[in-house]
Amino acid sequence: PTNSREIAGAGTALPSWNEGSTKQAILDFVEDVTNPQSANYIEPKDRIATFDNDGTLWSEQPVYFQFFFAIDRIKAMATDHPEWKDQQPYKAILENDMPALMEQGMAGLLKVVMTTHAGMTTDEFEKIVSDWVATAKHPTKNRPYTDLIYQPMLELVKYLQQNDFKVFIVSGGGIDFMRPWAEDVYGIPKDRIVGSSIKTEYDYNDGQPIIKRLPEIDLIDDKEGKPIGIHRYIGRKPVFAAGNSDGDLQMLRWTAANSAKSFKLFVHHTDEAREWAYDRDSHIGAFDKGWDEAKEKGWTLVDMKEDWKVIYPYELDSVD
Amino acid sequence: PTNSREIAGAGTALPSWNEGSTKQAILDFVEDVTNPQSANYIEPKDRIATFDNDGTLWSEQPVYFQFFFAIDRIKAMATDHPEWKDQQPYKAILENDMPALMEQGMAGLLKVVMTTHAGMTTDEFEKIVSDWVATAKHPTKNRPYTDLIYQPMLELVKYLQQNDFKVFIVSGGGIDFMRPWAEDVYGIPKDRIVGSSIKTEYDYNDGQPIIKRLPEIDLIDDKEGKPIGIHRYIGRKPVFAAGNSDGDLQMLRWTAANSAKSFKLFVHHTDEAREWAYDRDSHIGAFDKGWDEAKEKGWTLVDMKEDWKVIYPYELDSVD
Ligand SMILES: [Ca+2]
Ligand SMILES: [Ca+2]
């Protein structure tokens, strides 16, 4: 702290971040824009922070966790669909034949998404996701997916919230896939979760109102869709944005276009031992143009290996 | 209060509401669901309240105020469109010929809406609305439109917020028409304003990112669209909902479908002297099926004439 003003959480903030320029840049920014005496002061109502989810708040390897959800759902639903054993893309999934699944291309993947994410009510889907999150385990980490969240990012979310930032998730993942668990896991309320969505239909249903999930895309909240999602759901430009891939570049540019001082952050996956290491050529979370632009514009790059004491909350026990 | 627990604002809450069964029903509900000892206790995260805007938070006669905005915009834009003096629906507007405008039907109205609400950036539209709200006056009340908000409903919004309800606007009006002023006027943040929307497009625009407003409907947040908007933006069913017309019936039914205790309220326009009196046959804000269902199901009917000491904030000076 550069003055004696009380910063919420300062001193104890970001304990899982190593001391260094990355942590200091975050602390300095929050110090500056929350200081009423600063020329860069930002009123609380304008303190909007947006976080990508996959690869920014939790892991995303070997593939997006929502993909594992879809695979598990196809297998669970297959008992009611004996015909799937001879039909693509279901056959490939039931035979655990990922190359054959990939051969089905985008059309095949979209079919899997719609089969598993549409055709039920919103209440039913919420329960399906909640049940899956409570029981499913990551194939190599062998832990619940919600164990694979980033402890340092949790601390960053909390630190911003303590300083009167409104923290939103803005993810390419499904809004209704995240809502059932993200509120408890991240401390980010349901109404501050923005994601990709499908269309819905209201039905009075003989006095029992329901909302049905339709197999039709509404918003793809990725790349150009992120500023659009931010405008749709939040209505003002962020002053803080965090992502990890080229899919976040437009969100960070939109944030940089704010007339107020802003903070742009990319998480760079550099830790092969504790998490995964990937960037420019990755099939998931490719970080290429975003990396170049971050270096050119002086945005903050988080080096997971260097900047983070631990990756996951369950590692905290082993740290003094 | 039925016990000695401290209710935020109790005793001083709702000062512009006359004592009686309506006010008491509101106080009793909030008392009950915020009492941790009550079987009906609702956790703060589930305390979602949704308010219609036109006719529920501010007046809507002789027509929706957003319609006056569109008319004023056509007249302001006409200097750049000399051809409009011979083209419908513009000709009718420029000649103040409302019957001729109505003859253009829905297609004509949609043209007026798209001409005035699309074709500019989101930043530009925000400024246009802000400028209009700051200068335009209601044709008969001769006051800024934002003077014509309901003091008792402002108090209700504040009372719910003080008791940890998240209060949202869920309006058939335009989301981007409301956001520039509703935050300050109602104390409801931009990200808790849900309304009808048009599609948008992100453009990097040579390093200056913009979002363009396109002449295409996205969501009509009215009737069946209200539960859909609530699901899209909030992600959980309300426990408190307030409306004034049949356009709110689906929202109130969706609220009634909450497994938690819920409160459903209709504002009934009964005060011809201080505001307007209208219901079943009104061309704006028709209240017919909603009225019947409210009576059948015991929902709360606010009688503006009987229940409210004042209608508008500017009348407070004349009340002791
Ligand atoms: Ca990502
Ligand atoms: Ca209304």
Side-chain angles (χ1 to χ4, degrees), chain A residues 45 48 122-123 126 166 168 175-176 179 183-184 189-192 199-202 204 209-211 213 218 224 227-228 231-237 250 253-254 257 293 297, chain B residues 45 48 122-123 126 166 168 175-176 179 183-184 189-192 199-202 204 209-211 213 218 224 227-228 231-237 250 253-254 257 293 297:
Chain A
K45 71 184 167 112
I48 301 296
T122 52
D123 285 347
E126 181 165 1
K166 292 182 183 178
F168 291 78
I175 186 169
D176 289 330
R179 280 171 166 173
E183 184 169 82
D184 286 339
K190 274 186 176 177
D191 52 273
R192 292 186 182 163
K199 292 190 192 295
T200 60
E201 187 177 68
Y202 172 86
Y204 191 44
I210 54 170
I211 293 179
R213 295 172 57 78
D218 178 30
E224 291 81 5
I228 286 172
H231 177 72
R232 177 195 274 192
Y233 283 88
I234 308 174
R236 42 168 52 101
K237 295 189 186 87
Q250 289 81 358
R253 287 173 174 168
W254 188 238
E293 189 155 331
K297 297 192 172 165
Chain B
K45 69 182 167 114
I48 302 295
T122 51
D123 286 347
E126 181 166 1
K166 291 182 183 181
F168 291 76
I175 187 169
D176 289 330
R179 281 171 165 172
E183 183 169 84
D184 287 339
K190 274 185 176 178
D191 52 273
R192 292 185 183 163
K199 292 190 191 295
T200 60
E201 187 177 66
Y202 172 85
Y204 191 42
I210 53 171
I211 293 179
R213 295 173 56 79
D218 177 32
E224 292 81 4
I228 286 172
H231 178 73
R232 176 196 274 193
Y233 284 88
I234 308 176
R236 40 169 52 101
K237 294 189 186 86
Q250 288 82 357
R253 285 173 175 168
W254 188 238
E293 190 154 330
K297 297 192 173 166

